Amino acid sequence: MNPHDPHRRSTGLAQKALLYAGGELDAAAAHAFESRLAHDPLSQDALIEAVQLSQLLMGGPLRPDPAYRDRVRSAVLSTPASDERPRARFFRRAATLTIACGLLLAAALALPSDRAPRRSSAPLVVQQAASSSSLAHAAPTHRSEDNSQSSALEDEGEKLETALEWAEMADCGEHLQRTWDEELRRKARHRWPVSHEPFAGEGTGAPARGAE
Amino acid sequence: MMPSLRRLLPPIGLAAWFLASAPLRGSEPDLPRFTEEREAAGLHFVKKHLPELLPLLEELQRNNKEQYQHQMREIFRTTEMLADLLDEPKRHDLELKIWKAENRAFVAIAKLSSAKDDERKALEAQIHELARELVDLDIHSLEARVEMIERDLAESREEVARLRDNLDKAVKERYDSLLERVKKRKKAP
């Protein structure tokens, strides 16, 4: 149980992000997390993932679209239906507010800002959020002002997409695996030929790797 | 009820995250664990044989650590398998060439989806050339396999002939080995 284990650290961060997204952190912890959000890309990624998970749980789409935005807006601004129970209404409001905050945060991270320096490699989810149509409609002036930066972001996204596509295909080294298996069987056969038993003193040594 | 529902959201989210990542963890039982040493070995191998993969690996390392580690584990396993083939230099060289050509093709295919028209043509030509190279390597690989099987067959035939020619001696040797086994059994506590 190494406390410096990166997997363990990222799990703790994911948990904190989920708690933050669910409004479960107390004021001090929430403030600390928000301070970290301002400069720590890992926290930003974790929060985006937490919000996406919340969306998954709600059965909603992962990418925002205008219709979804309208639904969120109407859910937040309109008066509740008369037959809706207060608890359900509160829960729905909390969930939609959380999702909306997450989306706005994703947009804020992706769009240029004077206060925070731009990261050289924004995560894909942030780029997707920034390039999605709903946010583009919400901030058309930003996009027209900063075409070069958005194209740089697109380049980054393309690089990552290329890397991920290569990684997906590179998983299947079937030819080498088949040859290796064949060679292993062959070596085992040579080690213990049919006419000799391994116990006769000539066939020494453990079975080859893979037969373990 | 209402606060408890709100409290349920984070643990459910955590559970969903854990379950979502479970297939990837479960689908790679044969892969060696990721370590810095294996990463260094894998990177050395890539640098030596296919340096064009380095930018892709760097991209994964920056933006997708899990996939990066998975790929390093895959590459390390490849180096181990190739090392096991060193006894058969011809097969080793062929497999290395196939790995390189396959990965060049995968990189070209991955670039294809985001390529502009002029780049697309060059990439398609490259993929076609690599397909030709891979078929050629397949032929060589099959020839090497046939050669090896023929060699094994000849050895087995020799073994059969040797046994037939020395039947009595072989029977005596086998008899002795069986008795030896009995002796070993008695000695064992």
Side-chain angles (χ1 to χ4, degrees):
Chain A
M1 296 295 280
N2 178 10
H4 303 295
D5 179 9
H7 179 72
R8 197 177 163 203
R9 272 209 311 265
S10 66
T11 307
L13 193 58
Q15 189 178 15
K16 191 163 274 185
L18 277 163
L19 290 168
Y20 177 76
E24 291 295 324
L25 289 178
D26 57 41
H31 182 70
F33 188 75
E34 279 162 2
S35 308
R36 193 174 170 183
L37 273 177
H39 60 82
D40 179 20
L42 287 176
S43 311
Q44 294 158 6
D45 291 348
L47 182 59
I48 289 162
E49 277 178 24
V51 172
Q52 285 185 329
L53 276 172
S54 309
Q55 283 180 278
L56 271 179
L57 289 169
M58 301 290 291
L62 277 179
R63 290 181 182 196
D65 57 38
Y68 177 72
R69 187 180 167 81
D70 287 340
R71 278 209 308 280
V72 172
R73 189 188 290 128
S74 64
V76 173
L77 299 178
S78 67
T79 52
S82 58
D83 58 348
E84 197 170 18
R85 296 174 68 183
R87 286 176 197 160
R89 192 168 68 234
F90 180 84
F91 183 68
R92 191 167 58 81
R93 275 190 177 182
T96 47
L97 270 171
T98 307
I99 292 162
C101 287
L103 291 173
L104 286 172
L105 181 67
L109 290 172
L111 291 171
S113 159
D114 293 331
R115 282 184 301 172
R118 177 173 296 284
R119 291 197 297 133
S120 60
S121 55
L124 186 62
V125 280
V126 175
Q127 293 159 22
Q128 285 171 343
S131 60
S132 65
S133 56
S134 63
L135 295 175
H137 286 309
T141 48
H142 273 290
R143 286 193 66 193
S144 61
E145 278 170 10
D146 204 355
N147 276 339
S148 61
Q149 283 191 340
S150 68
S151 69
L153 267 180
E154 276 174 22
D155 283 350
E156 283 295 315
E158 277 175 14
K159 274 185 196 168
L160 180 59
E161 201 177 322
T162 303
L164 286 170
E165 277 190 39
W166 161 76
E168 202 174 312
M169 288 181 279
D171 271 358
C172 44
E174 285 173 15
H175 200 285
L176 178 58
Q177 179 76 54
R178 205 170 52 232
T179 306
W180 185 77
D181 286 342
E182 212 173 82
E183 196 60 29
L184 200 71
R185 281 198 298 275
R186 193 168 156 266
K187 277 179 181 168
R189 211 165 47 232
H190 275 265
R191 187 166 288 169
W192 295 330
V194 179
S195 60
H196 293 79
E197 287 189 67
F199 305 103
E202 286 158 88
T204 54
R209 196 181 136 195
E212 290 161 4
Chain B
M1 181 69 179
M2 180 172 59
S4 64
L5 268 176
R6 285 179 64 218
R7 285 205 176 92
L8 272 177
L9 189 63
I12 291 173
L14 268 180
W17 168 76
F18 185 80
L19 288 174
S21 60
L24 189 61
R25 287 197 304 272
S27 64
E28 45 189 31
D30 297 335
L31 283 180
R33 188 185 288 269
F34 177 85
T35 64
E36 283 181 3
E37 292 78 12
R38 285 172 178 157
E39 179 190 23
L43 286 174
H44 176 75
F45 175 79
V46 171
K47 206 171 178 180
K48 187 176 174 187
H49 296 293
L50 203 58
E52 52 257 55
L53 289 187
L54 289 173
L56 301 179
L57 288 168
E58 279 165 16
E59 194 62 39
L60 290 177
Q61 190 183 23
R62 271 205 302 270
N63 289 305
N64 195 325
K65 281 229 165 4
E66 195 177 358
Q67 189 62 261
Y68 170 74
Q69 293 192 356
H70 176 77
Q71 281 313 313
M72 290 317 304
R73 293 162 69 197
E74 284 278 0
I75 290 169
F76 180 76
R77 186 170 66 162
T78 300
T79 66
E80 289 286 285
M81 285 180 167
L82 284 169
D84 284 347
L85 291 178
L86 279 170
D87 293 337
E88 291 283 333
K90 199 173 177 181
R91 293 196 102 185
H92 172 271
D93 291 353
L94 278 169
E95 288 303 327
L96 180 58
K97 281 179 185 167
I98 289 171
W99 182 83
K100 284 158 71 174
E102 267 184 349
N103 274 282
R104 279 198 184 108
F106 293 155
V107 173
I109 293 165
K111 283 179 180 169
L112 202 59
S113 57
S114 56
K116 296 178 184 82
D117 282 347
D118 50 336
E119 293 169 339
R120 179 173 281 271
K121 277 184 184 166
L123 283 170
E124 281 172 354
Q126 190 191 351
I127 293 166
H128 191 266
E129 190 55 40
L130 285 164
R132 188 188 298 275
E133 189 182 333
L134 280 167
V135 171
D136 196 41
L137 286 167
D138 272 347
I139 291 171
H140 282 97
S141 171
L142 282 168
E143 281 172 352
R145 191 165 171 239
V146 167
E147 202 177 285
M148 197 186 68
I149 290 170
E150 280 176 347
R151 208 167 60 215
D152 286 352
L153 189 65
E155 279 176 16
S156 293
R157 281 190 172 135
E158 270 178 32
E159 203 183 339
V160 170
R162 206 168 45 242
L163 277 174
R164 283 196 172 134
D165 290 348
N166 302 289
L167 200 60
D168 290 342
K169 195 183 165 195
V171 170
K172 174 80 171 61
E173 275 178 10
R174 181 62 64 91
Y175 173 75
D176 288 345
S177 81
L178 288 168
L179 287 183
E180 186 67 26
R181 200 188 291 193
V182 173
K183 279 181 198 168
K184 276 184 185 171
R185 249 187 169 181
K186 279 183 181 171
K187 276 182 192 171

